[in-house]
Amino acid sequence: FTLEKHFENGPASSLCPGPHFLLPDTNLLLHQIDILEDPVIKNVIVLQTVLQEVRHRSAPVYKRIRDVIQNPEKHFYSFTNEHHRETYIEQNRGESSNDRNDRAIRVAVKWYNEHLKKIEDEEKIQVILLTNDRTNKEKALEEGITAYTCEEYIKSLTANPELVDRLACVSDEGKEIEGGKVIFPEHIPLSKLQQGIKSGIYLQGTYRANRENYLEATVWVHGDAEENKEIIIQGLKHLNRAIHEDVVAVELLAKDEWVAPSSVVLQDDGQNEEDIENEEEKENILKTSVNKDMLRPTGRVVGIIKRNWRPYCGMLSKSQIKEARRHLFTPADRRIPRIRIETRQADTLEGQRIIVAIDGWPRNSRYPNGHFVKNLGSAGDKETETEVLLLEHDVPHQAFSQAVLSFLPKMPWSITEEDMKHREDLRHLTVCSVDPPGCTDIDDALHCREIGNGNLEVGVHIADVSHFIRPGNALDEESVKRGTTVYLCEKRIDMVPELLSSNLCSLRSNVDRLAFSCIWEMNQKAEILKTRFTKSIINSKASLTYAEAQMRIDSATMNDDITISLRGLNKLAKILKKKRIDNGALTLASPEVRFHMDSETHDPIDLQTKELKETNSMVEEFMLLANISVAQKIYDEFPEFALLRKHPAPPPSNYDILVKAAKSKNLEIKTDSAKALAESLDKAESPTFPYLNTLLRILTTRCMMQAVYFCSGMDNDFHHYGLASPIYTHFTSPIRRYADIIVHRLLAVAIGADSTYPELTDKHKLAEMCKNLNYRHKMAQYAQRASVAFHTQLFFKTKGVVNEDAYILFVRKNAIVVLIPKYGLEGTVFFEEKDKPTPKLEYNSEVPSLTVEDTTFHVFDKVKVNIMLDDSNIQHQKMRMVLVEPKVRPKILRTMLSFSNVKKSSCGKMEI
């Protein structure tokens, strides 16, 4: 046994030049995981005592250290010291568990040093304790153990000075930095917060920072019993160092201190972190007199219950001071405050996208402290920006591991006799698929044929993904973690490996494929007479695009089996859609865009809003029908364990903006039910303004709640508001949505085609899974929008100035938000510019309107703008517009574009 190899590539330390292992204590591992992950750091022993504590205190850090231990190049070893006779120790009387664990760590270091002395023919190998705990270090030195703080050891690695940047600041959360006056109130300790929450003095909730106004946030109160679900927090001191997604304790203010949600757009653009007077000036802007009806419960953050920090992508704002080591980092996510970091590589990092982690936020610091983690590459580079948006939206996108890939079928694959058990052979049917152009992950196919009694047989055939992904294996665990496939403008992040998504599960034409079929017998009025479900084998006769399918339906000369099947489906779909709409289902609008890419550079060369054909609607109707039929079946069989999808009705206040906007155009929108809303939207027409109805539907989409997955045994409200359906689920896209795989498994058990397993009938586990799936779907949606935004900027980069019509969607106190239908873009036009005189502004929330000097802007007014790319801030590039018509005196107005619009409709679309 030789240890020489271990130390060949290890770092050279000036403190301990000989070969050595490092042994970190728990707090060091928790706080300095970025250092330990660095490729330079090798030869580390991680004790069982430390691993157990880390697992208990931080699941993300525990996962990261497990991954490092499994990397053979790092030479990290875990040692089960709690199960080793010579290193196990009992807790002494009066000794805290923390002190006992520190002692156990020191005992293990001592034992290891003795153990390594016994290895002959080796240069003396030391085990060095790394601890930032002063007491633990002092005791270690007294006991003859070599011990260093993390900073001492890292600074001794003279060949790797860049590692110093990755050191986390180890000062306590509330500990003050040198100098600087106290800005924030002290946080109340956790034990007192918990007592206060129990007694009702404080409320616990999730802190959500405001993207448009850095001096405002909302706290969503946990628990259904609270009448105030949402509390507004305004002003720096009241925000009190909370960061987006933290779990906080809030104290409600007296009613006479309540405020209204701010309509002002405020970005933190200051460079001087000590400029608190400027903050107070900005806070005064928020305090304008408002209608009493608009006041909302208001509070202040009194303490932090759980920090939900993550590594943040962004850019360095280099200090103006020469030779400075302290710099401000500006996160890409506007909801995250700037972070102060120390780095010696500021010149190298300027213009780069980097990752930074937060370490703490002292009371007398305007910004939190953090440390540099990683350089991602040059800002503006397509690969770098794609990596940033995937990281920022927490999209798992690493390559599938060998463990995952080992569960894929071995190639060449074919259907066996075993596969045919419990399956119907439907290869004789004229089945075809209809999808967007370029689609390779084909989830669904359809057929329609007349049967002898004059009725029609209609089938929806879905890829049988659950045949290939078996419960609990590594492939299944990776799929549930990813939750959904993420579609970016020129990249797809698959939920399952490509062998399944684009080949074995994809219902391509002219190959045998395994499917799960939902088959109805219908009469000519599209009334369902019988429904049956079966595992099947199909052979699709054609993979068509929406346009190709439409061309067949409309053709006067084509009368082959595929075309006849499509015409039958289309006829029934129109009847089904009319029934749904008569029942109160909503038809909403959303400006979606499609890019045409250059085949060589992959840059966008054209950008237009998507055109929907009749065949889009045809496929959608049968997918909705299959989802409803399956939902009813699995709920009948498993009333406690069905995975369903609901769409809650929006609270009435959500519709205020829509009702007021319609009223300003002398139109009435009724919102007391989905049916009333659908009918009033249908009537809201203007002969002189045909686009008005689309604008109203776009605005209605913004009023909607998010549709969510849930477990039937954990909820009483199943209703899907947008579809006006009492029950609904997702069954039709198992290649790209994990929820559908669970639904397939439930349905297979219900029809006796597969066996159950414990987790499938554990409603608590299913509810937890639904929570993850809802989060993954939301983040995928945001990542898709960010990708559209980035590609839109690339498109306009070469276009110079473009003149286009726009419509006002919202008015703010100091801005208007406009939509450009041609490009499906949304932009905020600011009427205040830095270092320029502010025009006279009058905001009317009742009408909604904004008067600038002598020009009044109403919601839905048509304006004309010049659009161009503003890349003066490389991190937050945006579309800048100049208002062309109507002209506002005395100055030209510029607009800044945000792309939060690129939003799939919450209702009436496939992702319902």
Side-chain angles (χ1 to χ4, degrees), residues 202-213:
Y202 307 131
L203 297 170
Q204 176 176 324
T206 303
Y207 178 92
R208 303 267 164 81
N210 184 330
R211 203 187 296 273
E212 291 190 333
N213 183 344

Side-chain angles (χ1 to χ4, degrees), residues 468-483:
F468 296 95
I469 299 182
R470 302 311 293 165
N473 68 24
L475 175 56
D476 186 44
E477 284 174 359
E478 183 64 25
S479 305
V480 70
K481 186 181 106 180
R482 294 184 179 221

Side-chain angles (χ1 to χ4, degrees), residues 415 420 424-430 512 537-539 541:
I415 294 169
M420 288 305 295
E424 273 187 57
D425 191 340
L426 303 179
R427 285 176 285 193
H428 61 285
L429 294 176
T430 307
D512 291 351
I537 174 170
I538 65 165
N539 187 300
K541 304 300 179 274

Side-chain angles (χ1 to χ4, degrees), residues 566-730:
L566 286 168
R567 285 184 188 137
L569 289 164
N570 199 39
K571 183 184 162 197
L572 292 169
K574 287 177 179 174
I575 301 168
L576 289 168
K577 185 170 185 176
K578 186 179 184 308
K579 276 188 197 167
R580 266 196 325 109
I581 288 168
D582 289 347
N583 206 23
L586 296 171
T587 308
L588 300 183
S590 148
E592 291 186 54
V593 294
R594 179 180 289 285
F595 292 94
H596 295 276
M597 300 293 185
D598 184 294
S599 56
E600 284 180 23
T601 65
H602 296 288
D603 285 341
I605 47 175
D606 194 16
L607 169 63
Q608 59 198 55
T609 46
K610 289 181 187 173
E611 184 196 341
L612 296 178
K613 300 192 181 306
E614 231 177 44
T615 43
N616 290 74
S617 179
M618 175 188 83
V619 173
E620 186 182 343
E621 285 309 315
F622 287 107
M623 297 305 115
L624 295 177
L625 193 62
N627 286 336
I628 291 167
S629 298
V630 170
Q632 196 58 59
K633 176 70 177 174
I634 62 171
Y635 177 61
D636 290 344
E637 289 288 330
F638 304 107
E640 289 288 297
F641 317 117
L643 192 155
L644 302 175
R645 188 162 175 84
K646 66 172 181 175
H647 181 214
S653 60
N654 275 31
Y655 287 124
D656 287 353
I657 183 81
L658 174 70
V659 172
K660 286 175 182 175
K663 199 175 171 187
S664 72
K665 296 292 178 208
N666 299 316
L667 294 168
E668 187 186 9
I669 298 289
K670 291 182 177 169
T671 60
D672 34 345
S673 71
K675 189 169 171 59
L677 175 61
E679 285 173 353
S680 53
L681 281 170
D682 287 342
K683 289 177 194 162
E685 297 282 356
S686 166
T688 57
F689 187 1
Y691 195 65
L692 177 63
N693 190 265
T694 306
L695 287 169
L696 282 165
R697 290 180 194 274
I698 288 170
L699 207 50
T700 307
T701 305
R702 307 299 170 83
C703 303
M704 292 295 133
M705 305 293 281
Q706 194 80 33
V708 288
Y709 297 113
F710 68 101
C711 173
S712 58
M714 304 288 277
D715 209 317
N716 300 320
D717 174 24
F718 293 10
H719 190 75
H720 197 295
Y721 180 79
L723 292 173
S725 176
I727 195 165
Y728 191 66
T729 194
H730 271 164

Side-chain angles (χ1 to χ4, degrees), residues 31-55:
H31 295 125
Q32 306 291 354
I33 184 69
D34 289 323
I35 287 279
L36 294 172
E37 283 177 329
D38 195 284
V40 170
I41 303 298
K42 294 181 177 178
N43 312 319
V44 174
I45 297 164
V46 184
L47 296 180
Q48 180 188 3
T49 309
V50 171
L51 271 180
Q52 283 171 345
E53 261 198 287
V54 169
R55 185 180 197 168

Side-chain angles (χ1 to χ4, degrees), residues 345-365:
Q345 350 172 29
D347 292 338
T348 318
L349 297 179
E350 212 175 0
Q352 301 288 296
R353 289 282 200 176
I354 64 173
I355 297 178
V356 160
I358 296 178
D359 300 321
W361 195 340
R363 288 177 61 199
N364 61 348
S365 171

Side-chain angles (χ1 to χ4, degrees), residues 457-519:
E457 179 190 85
V458 177
V460 164
H461 310 277
I462 304 300
D464 189 3
V465 181
S466 64
H467 173 85
F468 296 95
I469 299 182
R470 302 311 293 165
N473 68 24
L475 175 56
D476 186 44
E477 284 174 359
E478 183 64 25
S479 305
V480 70
K481 186 181 106 180
R482 294 184 179 221
T484 178
T485 291
V486 181
Y487 295 89
L488 306 180
C489 289
E490 52 169 332
K491 191 176 188 174
R492 189 178 81 201
I493 314 294
D494 281 324
M495 179 182 83
V496 299
E498 195 177 12
L499 179 65
L500 296 182
S501 66
S502 294
N503 187 350
L504 302 185
C505 291
S506 185
L507 304 181
R508 304 189 301 192
S509 52
N510 305 313
V511 286
D512 291 351
R513 287 290 177 257
L514 302 178
F516 210 149
S517 301
C518 172
I519 299 168

